[in-house]
Amino acid sequence: MAEVIWGLATSHVPSIGAAMDRGKTDDPAWKALFDGYAPARAWLAEHRPDVAVLVYNDHANGIDLDFVPTFGLGTAERYEVADEGFGRRPVPDVLGHPEFSFHLVESLVDEGFDLTVFQELAVDHGFTVPMSVWTPDPGDAWPCPVIPLLVNVIQYPQPTAARCYALGQALGRAIRSFPGDLTVGVLGTGGMSHQLAGTRAGFINPDFDAMWMEAVEKDPARLAALSREELIRQAGSEGIELIMWLVMRGAMDEQVTRVHSDYFVPASNTAAGIALFDNRTPTG
Amino acid sequence: MSTPTGAGRLDLPGTPVFDGDTSRRGFRMNKLFMSLRDAAARERFLADEAAYCREFGLTAEQEKAVLARDWQAMIDLGGSIFYVYKLAMMDGRSMQYLGGVFTGMGEDDFLAAMRAGGRRDG
Ligand SMILES: [Fe+2]
């Protein structure tokens, strides 16, 4: 049976990737953010899974407004890195794991989560930035195959926080029911509080973010109870992306061990957060 | 509490919500923005912006907003910020620049507010 060994929550702001690609991680505007990643990166380098599932949203790069799947899952062998209009990021394409993907799709559909299936998908910064947060220097290849799980957070109505959490719980069961022995990492991306448009642009809510950071570990059901309106009010119109953290959290056990977390303002117009959880049963 | 209309629109001050009505209104224009990821498309757009807008079937108002780089109007006319941003990027404009426009603060003050920890309600 496959086992979720860790969960990583991280913002996926494009400028975080750009700062890395342009060698600006020691600049005063960025240093504290990247210093805050270091302990998580060191731990993750020691705990390489066999496969990972990365929960993210596309930003007008891999998919259009022609089709807006509420939830989608990639089943490809390879995911190309998208050119978002300023050249593709200098990072490797992503290898998938079709066999594991199809197992997840089948198991999730059987549980009533009717995901859209992507046999081809170019992944944008929503995907590649979290990969870089995890693995800053991938060389020719990322540490393991990674499966994209897409969530619509751009167009109202986004799925509810409760549905995202329930999807995560079903994802956890799907992972555990895989017949092969695999270790799995799960990434939930996006957030934290931010708003890009409107007279409220630039909105950041550190109190809400701190509450979220604490509750995502200890009381995710409390977060799953938040309405769409409450999320947009408290975290900003784009801060609603945080619902994707709940998919990751749902796939983990009730009790997890926090390895590391950090919070930084601003990454462009966004509050950036990172939280890493160990899902293995504590020994001793 | 919000008063839902047909599409369940939320009513939060200063907060555009990209709902079904908005997406339907902005569909052609957002498609145009998405096309600008491609260098050849950008070249064609820049060679004759009005013709490119007509090719994508923008309304006269949307075309005017695009040609004038009226970012607020693009949002009001159904633009999604992630799509509108493609045009801004083509122009070498940052998200902080757009933040300066949407808030009326200007880019420098907006950037300073972000560096100071971001903006708050009220
Ligand atoms: Fe995003």
Side-chain angles (χ1 to χ4, degrees), chain A residues 12 57 59 125-126 153 190 194 241 244, chain B residues 82:
Chain A
H12 61 212
N57 70 284
H59 309 75
H125 68 263
V153 295
H194 68 298
E241 289 183 335
M244 295 186 289
Chain B
F82 297 106

Side-chain angles (χ1 to χ4, degrees), chain A residues 4 8 31 39 54 57 66-67 73 111 119 126 146 163 170 177 197 203 217 220 239 243 271 283:
Chain A
V4 176
L8 174 67
K31 192 173 182 317
L54 193 152
N57 70 284
D66 291 9
F67 306 96
L73 195 96
E111 288 222 32
Q119 302 227 58
V146 189
R163 190 67 175 155
S177 71
F203 175 73
E217 175 188 350
I243 57 176
T283 47

Side-chain angles (χ1 to χ4, degrees), chain A residues 26-151:
Chain A
D26 282 330
D27 280 16
W30 287 110
K31 192 173 182 317
L33 172 97
F34 289 102
D35 286 351
Y37 288 166
R41 285 170 160 176
W43 190 92
L44 288 163
E46 301 286 309
H47 298 84
R48 186 167 83 150
D50 296 316
V51 59
V53 178
L54 193 152
V55 185
Y56 85 111
N57 70 284
D58 179 77
H59 309 75
N61 297 301
I63 53 176
D64 202 341
L65 290 168
D66 291 9
F67 306 96
V68 182
T70 298
F71 295 120
L73 195 96
T75 57
E77 265 170 44
R78 190 184 190 91
Y79 304 93
E80 204 179 292
V81 173
D83 178 353
E84 305 186 23
F86 43 88
R88 63 167 272 171
R89 291 194 59 212
V91 293
D93 282 345
V94 179
L95 294 184
H97 193 314
E99 187 197 352
F100 193 57
S101 282
F102 280 113
H103 167 80
L104 295 181
V105 169
E106 188 178 349
S107 175
L108 289 168
V109 170
D110 283 352
E111 288 222 32
F113 289 90
D114 305 320
L115 300 147
T116 301
V117 174
F118 285 84
Q119 302 227 58
E120 201 172 86
L121 176 67
V123 291
D124 75 358
H125 68 263
F127 189 105
T128 64
V129 168
M131 290 303 297
S132 295
V133 170
W134 168 11
T135 305
D137 299 303
D140 293 339
W142 297 109
C144 68
V146 189
I147 295 168
L149 196 165
L150 284 154
V151 180

